[in-house]
Amino acid sequence: MKTVLKLFARARDLAGSPALELDLPDSATAADLRIALGERVPALEPILSSLLIAVGNDYAAPTTPVAGRTDLAVFPPVSGG
Amino acid sequence: MIQLTHTPIDFAALTESVRSTQAGAVVLFLGTVREMTQGRQTVALDYDAYPEMAEAKLKELEAEARARWPVIEAGIVHRLGHLELGDVSVAVAVSCPHRHQAFDAGRFLIDRLKEVVPIWKKENWSDGSTEWVHPGTGEAAELSG
């Protein structure tokens, strides 16, 4: 399924793009998305394991379904304040 | 009040906005751009955010603070974009009936903001290099300036 995600901060810089479209299996979870993202964008490898995944305005668990979503975001640990 | 802004934070107005005759205590926290970090010199910071989620998370934090402490009013404003040394990057103002509640609620809000709200800072070091600050990623993450 066509799945769209936004990228922020260093993830955006490494990917060279603010957004990506991935084709994921219907059963894909956030854990699967992380793996697919690493294969699609090898440049993300140094921070892949630390990336946070959000579905809508909420952080996803590894088991959260993500296939077909267009409101995903992927980013490194936050540093506001 | 929850706000992300690209213009300087009027923290006096924010403080005034949380004052109330029901409150015996008003606490204001300001985060400001610091020059030295572990021996390295900062010349500026750039802040970026995922605005929709950041605003949603800030509202959740305010609701959580209200559930835990008798908060009369709370205001959180975070600045985005390019900030110079000494600029105010974030302001948290809280009013409560008593001071311990106001200090605790204010500390909770800024501590949790730094953990869960999708905002990022990028260091502009004095040697011309830039570097996103991503706690726990365990590498220098250095980019050419």
Side-chain angles (χ1 to χ4, degrees), chain A residues 34-69:
Chain A
R34 186 185 307 276
I35 294 165
L37 196 56
E39 291 170 353
R40 166 75 176 273
V41 188
L44 288 173
E45 182 54 38
I47 59 170
L48 193 61
S49 65
S50 68
L51 289 175
L52 302 168
I53 297 170
V55 179
N57 291 329
D58 293 308
Y59 288 103
T63 54
T64 303
V66 299
R69 302 288 303 220

PDB file of all heavy atoms in Angstrom, chain A residues 34-69:
ATOM      1  N   ARG A  34      10.399   0.857   9.763  1.00  0.00           N
ATOM      2  CA  ARG A  34      11.792   1.191  10.069  1.00  0.00           C
ATOM      3  C   ARG A  34      12.737   0.405   9.149  1.00  0.00           C
ATOM      4  O   ARG A  34      13.703   0.963   8.610  1.00  0.00           O
ATOM      5  CB  ARG A  34      12.091   0.886  11.537  1.00  0.00           C
ATOM      6  CG  ARG A  34      13.470   1.332  12.003  1.00  0.00           C
ATOM      7  CD  ARG A  34      13.747   0.891  13.431  1.00  0.00           C
ATOM      8  NE  ARG A  34      12.708   1.300  14.371  1.00  0.00           N
ATOM      9  CZ  ARG A  34      12.657   2.503  14.943  1.00  0.00           C
ATOM     10  NH1 ARG A  34      13.585   3.396  14.698  1.00  0.00           N
ATOM     11  NH2 ARG A  34      11.671   2.805  15.774  1.00  0.00           N
ATOM     12  N   ILE A  35      12.440  -0.871   8.981  1.00  0.00           N
ATOM     13  CA  ILE A  35      13.289  -1.715   8.128  1.00  0.00           C
ATOM     14  C   ILE A  35      13.205  -1.254   6.666  1.00  0.00           C
ATOM     15  O   ILE A  35      14.225  -1.087   5.986  1.00  0.00           O
ATOM     16  CB  ILE A  35      12.859  -3.193   8.256  1.00  0.00           C
ATOM     17  CG1 ILE A  35      13.129  -3.689   9.683  1.00  0.00           C
ATOM     18  CG2 ILE A  35      13.590  -4.053   7.232  1.00  0.00           C
ATOM     19  CD1 ILE A  35      12.437  -4.997  10.028  1.00  0.00           C
ATOM     20  N   ALA A  36      11.973  -0.997   6.210  1.00  0.00           N
ATOM     21  CA  ALA A  36      11.782  -0.561   4.824  1.00  0.00           C
ATOM     22  C   ALA A  36      12.470   0.773   4.562  1.00  0.00           C
ATOM     23  O   ALA A  36      13.039   1.004   3.481  1.00  0.00           O
ATOM     24  CB  ALA A  36      10.284  -0.453   4.524  1.00  0.00           C
ATOM     25  N   LEU A  37      12.434   1.632   5.563  1.00  0.00           N
ATOM     26  CA  LEU A  37      13.057   2.950   5.434  1.00  0.00           C
ATOM     27  C   LEU A  37      14.575   2.819   5.302  1.00  0.00           C
ATOM     28  O   LEU A  37      15.204   3.517   4.496  1.00  0.00           O
ATOM     29  CB  LEU A  37      12.693   3.785   6.670  1.00  0.00           C
ATOM     30  CG  LEU A  37      12.894   5.287   6.620  1.00  0.00           C
ATOM     31  CD1 LEU A  37      12.150   5.911   5.447  1.00  0.00           C
ATOM     32  CD2 LEU A  37      12.415   5.897   7.939  1.00  0.00           C
ATOM     33  N   GLY A  38      15.161   1.928   6.075  1.00  0.00           N
ATOM     34  CA  GLY A  38      16.597   1.700   5.996  1.00  0.00           C
ATOM     35  C   GLY A  38      17.023   1.156   4.642  1.00  0.00           C
ATOM     36  O   GLY A  38      18.095   1.500   4.128  1.00  0.00           O
ATOM     37  N   GLU A  39      16.173   0.309   4.061  1.00  0.00           N
ATOM     38  CA  GLU A  39      16.485  -0.252   2.734  1.00  0.00           C
ATOM     39  C   GLU A  39      16.325   0.807   1.647  1.00  0.00           C
ATOM     40  O   GLU A  39      17.121   0.901   0.717  1.00  0.00           O
ATOM     41  CB  GLU A  39      15.564  -1.447   2.455  1.00  0.00           C
ATOM     42  CG  GLU A  39      15.889  -2.640   3.348  1.00  0.00           C
ATOM     43  CD  GLU A  39      14.832  -3.738   3.266  1.00  0.00           C
ATOM     44  OE1 GLU A  39      13.783  -3.523   2.624  1.00  0.00           O
ATOM     45  OE2 GLU A  39      15.057  -4.798   3.884  1.00  0.00           O
ATOM     46  N   ARG A  40      15.283   1.622   1.779  1.00  0.00           N
ATOM     47  CA  ARG A  40      15.014   2.652   0.782  1.00  0.00           C
ATOM     48  C   ARG A  40      16.035   3.785   0.849  1.00  0.00           C
ATOM     49  O   ARG A  40      16.461   4.331  -0.169  1.00  0.00           O
ATOM     50  CB  ARG A  40      13.599   3.179   0.994  1.00  0.00           C
ATOM     51  CG  ARG A  40      13.261   4.459   0.275  1.00  0.00           C
ATOM     52  CD  ARG A  40      13.051   4.257  -1.207  1.00  0.00           C
ATOM     53  NE  ARG A  40      12.639   5.510  -1.806  1.00  0.00           N
ATOM     54  CZ  ARG A  40      11.374   5.919  -1.881  1.00  0.00           C
ATOM     55  NH1 ARG A  40      10.415   5.148  -1.433  1.00  0.00           N
ATOM     56  NH2 ARG A  40      11.074   7.077  -2.411  1.00  0.00           N
ATOM     57  N   VAL A  41      16.419   4.177   2.064  1.00  0.00           N
ATOM     58  CA  VAL A  41      17.344   5.302   2.257  1.00  0.00           C
ATOM     59  C   VAL A  41      18.517   4.844   3.118  1.00  0.00           C
ATOM     60  O   VAL A  41      18.533   5.059   4.327  1.00  0.00           O
ATOM     61  CB  VAL A  41      16.633   6.505   2.927  1.00  0.00           C
ATOM     62  CG1 VAL A  41      17.560   7.720   2.934  1.00  0.00           C
ATOM     63  CG2 VAL A  41      15.316   6.818   2.255  1.00  0.00           C
ATOM     64  N   PRO A  42      19.518   4.199   2.510  1.00  0.00           N
ATOM     65  CA  PRO A  42      20.665   3.701   3.288  1.00  0.00           C
ATOM     66  C   PRO A  42      21.375   4.797   4.088  1.00  0.00           C
ATOM     67  O   PRO A  42      21.977   4.515   5.128  1.00  0.00           O
ATOM     68  CB  PRO A  42      21.588   3.138   2.206  1.00  0.00           C
ATOM     69  CG  PRO A  42      20.674   2.812   1.058  1.00  0.00           C
ATOM     70  CD  PRO A  42      19.595   3.845   1.082  1.00  0.00           C
ATOM     71  N   ALA A  43      21.238   6.038   3.652  1.00  0.00           N
ATOM     72  CA  ALA A  43      21.904   7.141   4.361  1.00  0.00           C
ATOM     73  C   ALA A  43      21.366   7.310   5.777  1.00  0.00           C
ATOM     74  O   ALA A  43      22.020   7.910   6.632  1.00  0.00           O
ATOM     75  CB  ALA A  43      21.715   8.450   3.588  1.00  0.00           C
ATOM     76  N   LEU A  44      20.189   6.757   6.054  1.00  0.00           N
ATOM     77  CA  LEU A  44      19.607   6.882   7.395  1.00  0.00           C
ATOM     78  C   LEU A  44      20.184   5.870   8.383  1.00  0.00           C
ATOM     79  O   LEU A  44      19.897   5.935   9.578  1.00  0.00           O
ATOM     80  CB  LEU A  44      18.083   6.704   7.329  1.00  0.00           C
ATOM     81  CG  LEU A  44      17.290   7.854   6.709  1.00  0.00           C
ATOM     82  CD1 LEU A  44      15.831   7.455   6.560  1.00  0.00           C
ATOM     83  CD2 LEU A  44      17.413   9.112   7.553  1.00  0.00           C
ATOM     84  N   GLU A  45      20.972   4.938   7.878  1.00  0.00           N
ATOM     85  CA  GLU A  45      21.473   3.833   8.706  1.00  0.00           C
ATOM     86  C   GLU A  45      22.082   4.280  10.044  1.00  0.00           C
ATOM     87  O   GLU A  45      21.782   3.681  11.092  1.00  0.00           O
ATOM     88  CB  GLU A  45      22.499   3.009   7.922  1.00  0.00           C
ATOM     89  CG  GLU A  45      23.045   1.805   8.681  1.00  0.00           C
ATOM     90  CD  GLU A  45      21.942   0.876   9.203  1.00  0.00           C
ATOM     91  OE1 GLU A  45      20.935   0.690   8.489  1.00  0.00           O
ATOM     92  OE2 GLU A  45      22.094   0.367  10.317  1.00  0.00           O
ATOM     93  N   PRO A  46      22.917   5.356  10.074  1.00  0.00           N
ATOM     94  CA  PRO A  46      23.542   5.722  11.358  1.00  0.00           C
ATOM     95  C   PRO A  46      22.538   6.071  12.455  1.00  0.00           C
ATOM     96  O   PRO A  46      22.863   5.934  13.636  1.00  0.00           O
ATOM     97  CB  PRO A  46      24.380   6.960  11.009  1.00  0.00           C
ATOM     98  CG  PRO A  46      24.578   6.903   9.532  1.00  0.00           C
ATOM     99  CD  PRO A  46      23.365   6.216   8.971  1.00  0.00           C
ATOM    100  N   ILE A  47      21.333   6.514  12.100  1.00  0.00           N
ATOM    101  CA  ILE A  47      20.364   6.913  13.130  1.00  0.00           C
ATOM    102  C   ILE A  47      19.084   6.077  13.082  1.00  0.00           C
ATOM    103  O   ILE A  47      18.140   6.348  13.827  1.00  0.00           O
ATOM    104  CB  ILE A  47      19.991   8.410  13.000  1.00  0.00           C
ATOM    105  CG1 ILE A  47      19.378   8.722  11.621  1.00  0.00           C
ATOM    106  CG2 ILE A  47      21.207   9.291  13.241  1.00  0.00           C
ATOM    107  CD1 ILE A  47      18.771  10.124  11.537  1.00  0.00           C
ATOM    108  N   LEU A  48      19.100   5.045  12.248  1.00  0.00           N
ATOM    109  CA  LEU A  48      17.859   4.277  12.006  1.00  0.00           C
ATOM    110  C   LEU A  48      17.238   3.734  13.298  1.00  0.00           C
ATOM    111  O   LEU A  48      16.032   3.849  13.522  1.00  0.00           O
ATOM    112  CB  LEU A  48      18.143   3.135  11.034  1.00  0.00           C
ATOM    113  CG  LEU A  48      16.923   2.429  10.444  1.00  0.00           C
ATOM    114  CD1 LEU A  48      16.060   3.387   9.633  1.00  0.00           C
ATOM    115  CD2 LEU A  48      17.355   1.244   9.586  1.00  0.00           C
ATOM    116  N   SER A  49      18.072   3.173  14.161  1.00  0.00           N
ATOM    117  CA  SER A  49      17.527   2.529  15.360  1.00  0.00           C
ATOM    118  C   SER A  49      16.985   3.534  16.359  1.00  0.00           C
ATOM    119  O   SER A  49      16.179   3.185  17.221  1.00  0.00           O
ATOM    120  CB  SER A  49      18.591   1.655  16.023  1.00  0.00           C
ATOM    121  OG  SER A  49      19.648   2.464  16.487  1.00  0.00           O
ATOM    122  N   SER A  50      17.423   4.799  16.254  1.00  0.00           N
ATOM    123  CA  SER A  50      16.954   5.802  17.215  1.00  0.00           C
ATOM    124  C   SER A  50      15.768   6.609  16.693  1.00  0.00           C
ATOM    125  O   SER A  50      15.209   7.429  17.423  1.00  0.00           O
ATOM    126  CB  SER A  50      18.095   6.757  17.571  1.00  0.00           C
ATOM    127  OG  SER A  50      18.444   7.550  16.455  1.00  0.00           O
ATOM    128  N   LEU A  51      15.387   6.393  15.446  1.00  0.00           N
ATOM    129  CA  LEU A  51      14.298   7.188  14.873  1.00  0.00           C
ATOM    130  C   LEU A  51      12.970   6.912  15.579  1.00  0.00           C
ATOM    131  O   LEU A  51      12.647   5.774  15.900  1.00  0.00           O
ATOM    132  CB  LEU A  51      14.143   6.886  13.379  1.00  0.00           C
ATOM    133  CG  LEU A  51      15.258   7.408  12.472  1.00  0.00           C
ATOM    134  CD1 LEU A  51      15.035   6.929  11.045  1.00  0.00           C
ATOM    135  CD2 LEU A  51      15.337   8.927  12.517  1.00  0.00           C
ATOM    136  N   LEU A  52      12.217   7.978  15.793  1.00  0.00           N
ATOM    137  CA  LEU A  52      10.878   7.879  16.363  1.00  0.00           C
ATOM    138  C   LEU A  52       9.877   7.927  15.219  1.00  0.00           C
ATOM    139  O   LEU A  52      10.091   8.620  14.222  1.00  0.00           O
ATOM    140  CB  LEU A  52      10.628   9.038  17.326  1.00  0.00           C
ATOM    141  CG  LEU A  52      11.630   9.127  18.480  1.00  0.00           C
ATOM    142  CD1 LEU A  52      11.492  10.444  19.216  1.00  0.00           C
ATOM    143  CD2 LEU A  52      11.450   7.965  19.435  1.00  0.00           C
ATOM    144  N   ILE A  53       8.793   7.168  15.366  1.00  0.00           N
ATOM    145  CA  ILE A  53       7.769   7.108  14.324  1.00  0.00           C
ATOM    146  C   ILE A  53       6.456   7.582  14.937  1.00  0.00           C
ATOM    147  O   ILE A  53       6.067   7.143  16.023  1.00  0.00           O
ATOM    148  CB  ILE A  53       7.626   5.668  13.793  1.00  0.00           C
ATOM    149  CG1 ILE A  53       8.945   5.237  13.126  1.00  0.00           C
ATOM    150  CG2 ILE A  53       6.449   5.569  12.806  1.00  0.00           C
ATOM    151  CD1 ILE A  53       9.014   3.765  12.764  1.00  0.00           C
ATOM    152  N   ALA A  54       5.802   8.517  14.238  1.00  0.00           N
ATOM    153  CA  ALA A  54       4.512   9.033  14.709  1.00  0.00           C
ATOM    154  C   ALA A  54       3.435   8.722  13.688  1.00  0.00           C
ATOM    155  O   ALA A  54       3.658   8.811  12.481  1.00  0.00           O
ATOM    156  CB  ALA A  54       4.593  10.530  14.951  1.00  0.00           C
ATOM    157  N   VAL A  55       2.278   8.341  14.210  1.00  0.00           N
ATOM    158  CA  VAL A  55       1.086   8.154  13.384  1.00  0.00           C
ATOM    159  C   VAL A  55       0.105   9.241  13.815  1.00  0.00           C
ATOM    160  O   VAL A  55      -0.331   9.261  14.965  1.00  0.00           O
ATOM    161  CB  VAL A  55       0.460   6.765  13.591  1.00  0.00           C
ATOM    162  CG1 VAL A  55      -0.785   6.619  12.734  1.00  0.00           C
ATOM    163  CG2 VAL A  55       1.468   5.678  13.269  1.00  0.00           C
ATOM    164  N   GLY A  56      -0.197  10.151  12.894  1.00  0.00           N
ATOM    165  CA  GLY A  56      -0.969  11.315  13.301  1.00  0.00           C
ATOM    166  C   GLY A  56      -0.166  12.106  14.314  1.00  0.00           C
ATOM    167  O   GLY A  56       1.017  12.373  14.094  1.00  0.00           O
ATOM    168  N   ASN A  57      -0.771  12.422  15.451  1.00  0.00           N
ATOM    169  CA  ASN A  57      -0.056  13.191  16.470  1.00  0.00           C
ATOM    170  C   ASN A  57       0.440  12.330  17.624  1.00  0.00           C
ATOM    171  O   ASN A  57       0.792  12.851  18.679  1.00  0.00           O
ATOM    172  CB  ASN A  57      -0.974  14.286  17.020  1.00  0.00           C
ATOM    173  CG  ASN A  57      -1.243  15.358  15.989  1.00  0.00           C
ATOM    174  OD1 ASN A  57      -0.392  15.646  15.138  1.00  0.00           O
ATOM    175  ND2 ASN A  57      -2.421  15.949  16.038  1.00  0.00           N
ATOM    176  N   ASP A  58       0.487  11.001  17.416  1.00  0.00           N
ATOM    177  CA  ASP A  58       0.883  10.108  18.503  1.00  0.00           C
ATOM    178  C   ASP A  58       2.081   9.249  18.122  1.00  0.00           C
ATOM    179  O   ASP A  58       2.215   8.826  16.970  1.00  0.00           O
ATOM    180  CB  ASP A  58      -0.285   9.200  18.882  1.00  0.00           C
ATOM    181  CG  ASP A  58      -1.419   9.979  19.512  1.00  0.00           C
ATOM    182  OD1 ASP A  58      -1.151  10.732  20.465  1.00  0.00           O
ATOM    183  OD2 ASP A  58      -2.555   9.857  19.024  1.00  0.00           O
ATOM    184  N   TYR A  59       2.931   8.969  19.109  1.00  0.00           N
ATOM    185  CA  TYR A  59       4.066   8.078  18.870  1.00  0.00           C
ATOM    186  C   TYR A  59       3.573   6.652  18.664  1.00  0.00           C
ATOM    187  O   TYR A  59       2.664   6.188  19.358  1.00  0.00           O
ATOM    188  CB  TYR A  59       5.031   8.126  20.056  1.00  0.00           C
ATOM    189  CG  TYR A  59       5.799   9.422  20.110  1.00  0.00           C
ATOM    190  CD1 TYR A  59       5.461  10.428  21.003  1.00  0.00           C
ATOM    191  CD2 TYR A  59       6.861   9.661  19.231  1.00  0.00           C
ATOM    192  CE1 TYR A  59       6.153  11.634  21.036  1.00  0.00           C
ATOM    193  CE2 TYR A  59       7.560  10.854  19.249  1.00  0.00           C
ATOM    194  CZ  TYR A  59       7.197  11.831  20.158  1.00  0.00           C
ATOM    195  OH  TYR A  59       7.884  13.021  20.170  1.00  0.00           O
ATOM    196  N   ALA A  60       4.166   5.987  17.690  1.00  0.00           N
ATOM    197  CA  ALA A  60       3.774   4.617  17.368  1.00  0.00           C
ATOM    198  C   ALA A  60       4.581   3.631  18.197  1.00  0.00           C
ATOM    199  O   ALA A  60       5.756   3.854  18.492  1.00  0.00           O
ATOM    200  CB  ALA A  60       4.005   4.355  15.887  1.00  0.00           C
ATOM    201  N   ALA A  61       3.936   2.523  18.575  1.00  0.00           N
ATOM    202  CA  ALA A  61       4.651   1.375  19.134  1.00  0.00           C
ATOM    203  C   ALA A  61       5.133   0.531  17.961  1.00  0.00           C
ATOM    204  O   ALA A  61       4.648   0.686  16.834  1.00  0.00           O
ATOM    205  CB  ALA A  61       3.704   0.564  20.017  1.00  0.00           C
ATOM    206  N   PRO A  62       6.098  -0.377  18.205  1.00  0.00           N
ATOM    207  CA  PRO A  62       6.585  -1.216  17.101  1.00  0.00           C
ATOM    208  C   PRO A  62       5.467  -1.976  16.389  1.00  0.00           C
ATOM    209  O   PRO A  62       5.561  -2.254  15.195  1.00  0.00           O
ATOM    210  CB  PRO A  62       7.549  -2.181  17.794  1.00  0.00           C
ATOM    211  CG  PRO A  62       8.026  -1.436  18.995  1.00  0.00           C
ATOM    212  CD  PRO A  62       6.845  -0.607  19.449  1.00  0.00           C
ATOM    213  N   THR A  63       4.404  -2.291  17.117  1.00  0.00           N
ATOM    214  CA  THR A  63       3.309  -3.096  16.537  1.00  0.00           C
ATOM    215  C   THR A  63       2.200  -2.249  15.909  1.00  0.00           C
ATOM    216  O   THR A  63       1.233  -2.795  15.381  1.00  0.00           O
ATOM    217  CB  THR A  63       2.674  -3.967  17.635  1.00  0.00           C
ATOM    218  OG1 THR A  63       2.284  -3.104  18.721  1.00  0.00           O
ATOM    219  CG2 THR A  63       3.645  -5.005  18.149  1.00  0.00           C
ATOM    220  N   THR A  64       2.315  -0.936  15.979  1.00  0.00           N
ATOM    221  CA  THR A  64       1.266  -0.070  15.418  1.00  0.00           C
ATOM    222  C   THR A  64       1.186  -0.236  13.900  1.00  0.00           C
ATOM    223  O   THR A  64       2.205  -0.139  13.213  1.00  0.00           O
ATOM    224  CB  THR A  64       1.569   1.402  15.754  1.00  0.00           C
ATOM    225  OG1 THR A  64       1.685   1.548  17.160  1.00  0.00           O
ATOM    226  CG2 THR A  64       0.464   2.317  15.226  1.00  0.00           C
ATOM    227  N   PRO A  65      -0.008  -0.487  13.353  1.00  0.00           N
ATOM    228  CA  PRO A  65      -0.150  -0.597  11.892  1.00  0.00           C
ATOM    229  C   PRO A  65       0.121   0.754  11.227  1.00  0.00           C
ATOM    230  O   PRO A  65      -0.311   1.791  11.728  1.00  0.00           O
ATOM    231  CB  PRO A  65      -1.615  -0.996  11.705  1.00  0.00           C
ATOM    232  CG  PRO A  65      -2.099  -1.450  13.038  1.00  0.00           C
ATOM    233  CD  PRO A  65      -1.285  -0.718  14.054  1.00  0.00           C
ATOM    234  N   VAL A  66       0.829   0.717  10.095  1.00  0.00           N
ATOM    235  CA  VAL A  66       1.157   1.973   9.404  1.00  0.00           C
ATOM    236  C   VAL A  66       0.826   1.931   7.908  1.00  0.00           C
ATOM    237  O   VAL A  66       0.829   2.976   7.253  1.00  0.00           O
ATOM    238  CB  VAL A  66       2.649   2.352   9.564  1.00  0.00           C
ATOM    239  CG1 VAL A  66       3.002   2.561  11.036  1.00  0.00           C
ATOM    240  CG2 VAL A  66       3.552   1.304   8.932  1.00  0.00           C
ATOM    241  N   ALA A  67       0.548   0.749   7.357  1.00  0.00           N
ATOM    242  CA  ALA A  67       0.358   0.638   5.903  1.00  0.00           C
ATOM    243  C   ALA A  67      -0.803   1.506   5.438  1.00  0.00           C
ATOM    244  O   ALA A  67      -1.863   1.528   6.066  1.00  0.00           O
ATOM    245  CB  ALA A  67       0.102  -0.818   5.523  1.00  0.00           C
ATOM    246  N   GLY A  68      -0.569   2.237   4.370  1.00  0.00           N
ATOM    247  CA  GLY A  68      -1.627   3.048   3.780  1.00  0.00           C
ATOM    248  C   GLY A  68      -1.834   4.395   4.438  1.00  0.00           C
ATOM    249  O   GLY A  68      -2.617   5.205   3.956  1.00  0.00           O
ATOM    250  N   ARG A  69      -1.136   4.630   5.534  1.00  0.00           N
ATOM    251  CA  ARG A  69      -1.300   5.917   6.228  1.00  0.00           C
ATOM    252  C   ARG A  69      -0.597   7.011   5.432  1.00  0.00           C
ATOM    253  O   ARG A  69       0.439   6.789   4.824  1.00  0.00           O
ATOM    254  CB  ARG A  69      -0.701   5.861   7.639  1.00  0.00           C
ATOM    255  CG  ARG A  69      -1.252   4.795   8.549  1.00  0.00           C
ATOM    256  CD  ARG A  69      -2.648   5.055   9.036  1.00  0.00           C
ATOM    257  NE  ARG A  69      -2.813   6.321   9.734  1.00  0.00           N
ATOM    258  CZ  ARG A  69      -3.565   6.472  10.835  1.00  0.00           C
ATOM    259  NH1 ARG A  69      -4.156   5.426  11.394  1.00  0.00           N
ATOM    260  NH2 ARG A  69      -3.723   7.664  11.384  1.00  0.00           N
TER     261      ARG A  69
END
